[in-house]
Amino acid sequence: MENIVSVFQNNLPWVWVAVTIICVVIESLTLSLTTIWFGISAFVMVFLAFTPLPFPAQLLIFVALAMVLLIFTKPVVKKKLSQKKIATNYERVIGQIAVVTKRITALEKGSVKINGMEWTAAVKEDTTLEEGSKCMVEEIAGVTAYVKQI
């Protein structure tokens, strides 16, 4: 038994490396911003394992550091990561009213002007939109705006 404890004490840095890897793998699978703090604490412990601190003291420091990181930094990081998504140009166009600038049929694409920008346009149903008529943008696929008559 004493031999096992001696082997464990001599390989403590490797134990902390293993804990670091395990925590990082778990975090990468869950993305919960919880085990990453334990992984960071375990990484710090790799270096502390080279000091004469006994394992119980190292374990206490590991848990305390992980809890401090979890409590004080998780909310800040979560807030940074969950900032509002900014709509891109094409997302802003959906639901907008457009003016047909080139005739659109079910078999032939045309074009529309939306907020001063010219877009290639198509219809999904069997309708024809004449030049000058108004329509609404339903969807954007690639560079084509799919519109419907209003």
Side-chain angles (χ1 to χ4, degrees):
M1 182 69 176
E2 204 170 291
N3 195 16
I4 294 172
V5 172
S6 173
V7 169
F8 181 73
Q9 285 287 352
N10 292 336
N11 292 309
L12 267 178
W14 292 110
V15 170
W16 290 118
V17 167
V19 171
T20 302
I21 292 169
I22 290 167
C23 288
V24 169
V25 167
I26 291 171
E27 182 63 35
S28 67
L29 295 174
T30 63
L31 299 174
S32 64
L33 286 178
T34 303
T35 52
I36 191 68
W37 310 118
F38 288 90
I40 292 169
S41 297
F43 182 71
V44 170
M45 297 313 301
V46 169
F47 301 103
L48 283 179
F50 290 108
T51 66
L53 277 172
F55 178 70
Q58 290 181 26
L59 191 59
L60 181 67
I61 292 169
F62 165 72
V63 170
L65 182 59
M67 288 296 126
V68 167
L69 287 172
L70 183 66
I71 291 168
F72 292 109
T73 58
K74 182 180 178 183
V76 174
V77 172
K78 198 152 189 127
K79 183 179 177 186
K80 276 282 191 201
L81 292 177
S82 66
Q83 289 179 350
K84 283 188 175 182
K85 180 183 169 193
I86 298 171
T88 60
N89 285 338
Y90 88 91
E91 291 169 328
R92 292 181 191 153
V93 170
I94 297 172
Q96 295 278 331
I97 303 298
V99 177
V100 178
T101 56
K102 183 180 172 193
R103 185 174 186 247
I104 307 166
T105 67
L107 300 173
E108 190 178 328
K109 289 183 178 181
S111 61
V112 293
K113 196 169 232 180
I114 310 164
N115 297 330
M117 292 178 58
E118 196 81 23
W119 284 76
T120 302
V123 290
K124 288 186 175 181
E125 59 274 340
D126 189 20
T127 59
T128 300
L129 298 174
E130 296 297 332
E131 189 174 328
S133 63
K134 292 189 177 186
C135 56
M136 185 170 66
V137 180
E138 287 185 298
E139 176 185 341
I140 302 290
V143 295
T144 303
Y146 285 90
V147 296
K148 69 176 181 179
Q149 192 170 16
I150 54 172

